[in-house]
Each structure stands twice: as structure tokens, then as C-alpha cells.
Amino acid sequence: TVNALALVGDRAYLRDSVVITRQTIGDDWYSVGNVVAAGEYTYYTATHGGLKEVTVNGTPEKRYFSETALYTLDLRIAREIRPSGTTTLPTPYGSLRTAAGAHLFVDGYSMADYGLYVYGLATPDTPAFEGFYRTTGYSTRATAYADSLYLPAGYHGVYVLR
């Protein structure tokens, strides 16, 4: 749940809220990753997967698919939390790790490829892809400090991105 609060003295009052949940609709499923607030916006990743019919050599088959998108919620008007942007990731699976400075960091992976995708927040409604850093596996944490991002890298130690 993403909540917009009004602070009055020593009390906080709920002004609006949006519930983000995992859903299953027919053969399709939707799974929400981490939610990160950055300034007047909140960002989260959600993966959508299921079965779709494709034709292979003239024969219809059902194949599994998965796609992940980065979603933006605008929090500037406390009584009206609203979706304000969606960016499809170039990888079937991904999870938002953290925000630091004017950047979002998304851990992405497929069956054979792992890495960290960096999105810039020059236009907060629509994060723009800025770079990709290959990693040795799926990362479950990222820590931002000063101008650096620290990623655990298993037996390889810690990746430091500047």
C-alpha cells in the first residue's frame, strides 16, 4: 500500500492510498516487486506472465511469457495518488532495488543474463534508461551511499558503481 499523509502537529492523517497486490487472472499472473519512494513520486516494478498462443511451423502452441515494467505513481496531490508513467524493461524479470540521487536501480534477469539497469529521473514521470551493468547473478540488495552504489556479488565480494 502506498499512502499519502498530511502532518498536522504531531499527528499524521491519511489523505489517500493505493493498494498494489499480486493478482491472478485466468492463466496470467501479476507479481509486484519492491516499492521505492523518491521525492514526490513512488516507483515499483511488476512482472506479468502467463501463457500465450503462438504459431510454430504452422502449428498453434501455448508458450510461457514474462515481462516486467517499471511503474510511476505521482504523489504531488495528496488526495489523488495517480499512475503517471510506465516503462517496459528490456528483460523478462526485474525488481526495483533502490533510488539514489536522480537514479533508480533495477535488478534484471533472464534465463542466461543478469545485471543492473540504471534509469535516470530527469523527468520523474517517465524514468529513462541510462545504462546496464552485468553482474554474476541475481542481487537481492543494493545500498546507495554518497555517489556510489554497493551490490553484493557472492564469492566475488561487492560491486561498487560510481
Side-chain angles (χ1 to χ4, degrees):
T1 302
V2 175
N3 296 315
L5 302 175
L7 297 176
V8 179
D10 61 350
R11 294 187 180 183
Y13 296 90
L14 181 64
R15 301 288 297 274
D16 193 10
S17 96
V18 173
V19 177
I20 305 168
T21 62
R22 178 186 168 111
Q23 300 175 356
T24 302
I25 302 170
D27 289 334
D28 288 4
W29 55 269
Y30 301 81
S31 181
V32 175
N34 294 331
V35 178
V36 174
E40 296 177 317
Y41 294 87
T42 292
Y43 303 91
Y44 67 95
T45 47
T47 301
H48 168 221
L51 294 172
K52 67 179 174 181
E53 195 164 298
V54 296
T55 302
V56 179
N57 297 325
T59 305
E61 294 181 6
K62 283 200 169 189
R63 295 268 175 105
Y64 176 79
F65 77 95
S66 178
E67 61 189 11
T68 299
L70 176 62
Y71 294 89
T72 305
L73 296 174
D74 185 340
L75 305 177
R76 290 178 293 179
I77 301 173
R79 293 188 190 273
E80 298 177 23
I81 296 176
R82 65 176 183 81
S84 61
T86 303
T87 303
T88 301
L89 300 181
T91 183
Y93 302 99
S95 189
L96 180 59
R97 289 294 162 230
T98 192
H103 296 90
L104 295 174
F105 299 93
V106 179
D107 196 19
Y109 59 99
S110 63
M111 296 302 274
D113 194 20
Y114 295 90
L116 189 73
Y117 294 84
V118 180
Y119 286 83
L121 297 176
T123 307
D125 280 350
T126 54
F129 175 75
E130 288 188 351
F132 173 78
Y133 298 91
R134 188 165 312 284
T135 60
T136 57
Y138 180 71
S139 175
T140 57
R141 295 201 36 102
T143 300
Y145 180 74
D147 292 333
S148 300
L149 184 74
Y150 299 86
L151 287 171
Y155 295 115
H156 302 285
V158 175
Y159 286 125
V160 180
L161 303 176
R162 298 176 200 265

